[in-house]
Amino acid sequence: MEEILASDEPHVLAVDDNLVDRKLVETLLKKSSCKVTTAEDGLRALEYLGLAAHQDSSTNNNGSKVNMIITDYCMPGMTGYELLKKIKESLIMKDVPVVIVSSENIPTRINQCMEEGAQIFMLKPLKHSDVESLRCQIMQCRG
Amino acid sequence: MEIVGKLQKQFMDFMSSLYREGFLDDQFLQLQKLQDESNPDFVVEVVSLFFEDSEKLLNNLAMALQQQVVDFKQVDAHVHQFKGSSSSIGAQRVKNACVGFRNFCEEKNLDGCIQCLQHAKHEYFLVKNKLETLFRLEQQILAAGGTVPIIS
């Protein structure tokens, strides 16, 4: 019984360099009955997914368990856009929906992300209703 | 019971004044809605993270602006973080202080930046004080055996 319920919970990887925002997105996702893993930057996110340059495909299978990735756009090192590109280049992860969040409403930025295959672009701070809507989208993607 | 009633009223009046005076905005309400039996200390936890993070950022900003050659991109990056986290917890006046700050960064205006830092710092310590008072009132209500009123 427990196993069925647990596998029913979507698993979301949330990436944000801001400590407060990471706590907030984690709580929002848990409130919407999602299992959450957080990462503080793009590189750590890729490492978790087993997609980092120094990893080979047998490193882990975390990627196949993740149902959605939510990433902040503005991050030092690797931006959310660059992370999105790396995910879309991966055979295992390319069909996993990637949500880009940003505190800034910049149309060129939004278009750039959508063209690269982002599922949706959302403005920070995220609200409970935003996350509930995302959860529905994940469940639809899983089919 | 008299005491609880008095404390609850004090709490509600104080909470209302924080919204009215613009210290907090709707986002703080969103945080309160996320708090529940499974996550009873959420607001205090996330606000504590905000305090920790902000004090580091304010120090970093002070240091960055004291450099011989100021790296305005770095200053802007710190302000962006500060704006982000203050926005996420609903600290409206701090967030607004950051908006002006970013403009001066873009113009590479050192004096403007220094003034903005003072302003942002001032607003931060004001809201910190207010929030600590709020949390103290909550503790007093709970200690007196009451429940903390929910403002909608």
Side-chain angles (χ1 to χ4, degrees):
Chain A
M1 198 61 184
E2 251 170 80
E3 257 182 9
I4 296 169
L5 286 172
S7 68
D8 219 32
E9 277 194 348
H11 185 177
V12 182
L13 172 64
V15 192
D16 199 317
D17 61 314
N18 187 304
L19 191 54
V20 173
D21 288 341
R22 265 202 312 281
K23 174 89 181 168
L24 187 53
V25 77
E26 182 184 34
T27 306
L28 280 166
L29 286 166
K30 283 183 174 165
K31 186 114 181 160
S32 285
S33 310
C34 294
K35 180 166 174 250
V36 191
T37 300
T38 59
E40 61 188 74
D41 57 42
L43 183 56
R44 282 177 174 77
L46 289 175
E47 282 175 350
Y48 178 78
L49 297 169
L51 298 180
H54 60 270
Q55 291 172 309
D56 62 44
S57 55
S58 57
T59 306
N60 67 52
N61 64 345
N62 287 337
S64 59
K65 298 184 194 149
V66 169
N67 303 115
M68 176 174 274
I69 296 154
I70 296 180
T71 178
D72 189 21
Y73 182 93
C74 277
M75 295 189 292
M78 189 187 298
T79 65
Y81 173 70
E82 286 158 355
L83 176 60
L84 166 68
K85 281 211 288 193
K86 288 260 179 332
I87 291 166
K88 291 302 169 186
E89 279 165 21
S90 141
L91 278 171
I92 319 163
M93 299 300 298
K94 65 182 173 59
D95 293 325
V96 176
V98 180
V99 175
I100 309 279
V101 297
S102 176
S103 52
E104 294 164 307
N105 190 345
I106 301 175
T108 46
R109 176 182 290 183
I110 300 172
N111 289 335
Q112 186 193 41
C113 291
M114 296 313 287
E115 267 165 39
E116 201 56 44
Q119 172 88 353
I120 192 169
F121 184 100
M122 286 181 144
L123 278 181
K124 275 164 118 172
L126 289 180
K127 293 188 161 57
H128 180 58
S129 51
D130 292 328
V131 177
E132 283 284 283
S133 142
L134 285 179
R135 191 187 196 282
C136 287
Q137 292 183 41
I138 302 173
M139 298 316 272
Q140 280 170 12
C141 283
R142 280 165 89 180
Chain B
M1 281 333 273
E2 264 300 312
I3 301 176
V4 170
K6 265 191 176 165
L7 287 170
Q8 286 173 330
K9 178 162 194 317
Q10 217 182 326
F11 176 85
M12 289 196 293
D13 288 344
F14 189 64
M15 196 74 239
S16 300
S17 75
L18 293 182
Y19 284 109
R20 205 174 44 246
E21 290 164 27
F23 286 103
L24 298 177
D25 62 27
D26 183 67
Q27 180 60 18
F28 191 78
L29 201 55
Q30 296 293 320
L31 294 185
Q32 290 176 310
K33 284 187 183 167
L34 284 176
Q35 187 162 289
D36 58 27
E37 312 81 51
S38 65
N39 209 345
D41 301 313
F42 173 66
V43 180
V44 171
E45 280 171 10
V46 78
V47 170
S48 300
L49 281 176
F50 170 68
F51 289 163
E52 256 180 64
D53 199 49
S54 300
E55 281 164 47
K56 273 194 211 130
L57 284 168
L58 286 169
N59 282 336
N60 290 341
L61 279 165
M63 284 204 306
L65 289 172
Q66 279 163 17
Q67 298 305 305
Q68 281 278 39
V69 181
V70 174
D71 181 351
F72 285 100
K73 272 215 162 92
Q74 182 63 265
V75 176
D76 184 66
H78 290 315
V79 182
H80 176 78
Q81 284 286 317
F82 198 22
K83 177 169 168 270
S85 45
S86 55
S87 167
S88 292
I89 67 138
Q92 192 177 245
R93 281 158 64 150
V94 178
K95 177 187 73 169
N96 291 340
C98 290
V99 173
F101 201 155
R102 293 197 80 190
N103 290 335
F104 282 120
C105 287
E106 219 174 312
E107 293 167 22
K108 296 196 180 6
N109 183 329
L110 184 57
D111 284 333
C113 283
I114 291 170
Q115 269 185 30
C116 279
L117 176 57
Q118 287 321 305
H119 180 48
K121 212 170 154 181
H122 176 73
E123 289 298 342
Y124 166 72
F125 282 109
L126 274 178
V127 79
K128 180 175 183 196
N129 196 281
K130 298 283 184 186
L131 287 168
E132 285 173 339
T133 303
L134 190 72
F135 295 148
R136 240 185 339 263
L137 273 169
E138 280 186 352
Q139 287 309 304
Q140 285 176 308
I141 294 172
L142 295 171
T147 51
V148 179
I150 300 171
I151 319 252
S152 52

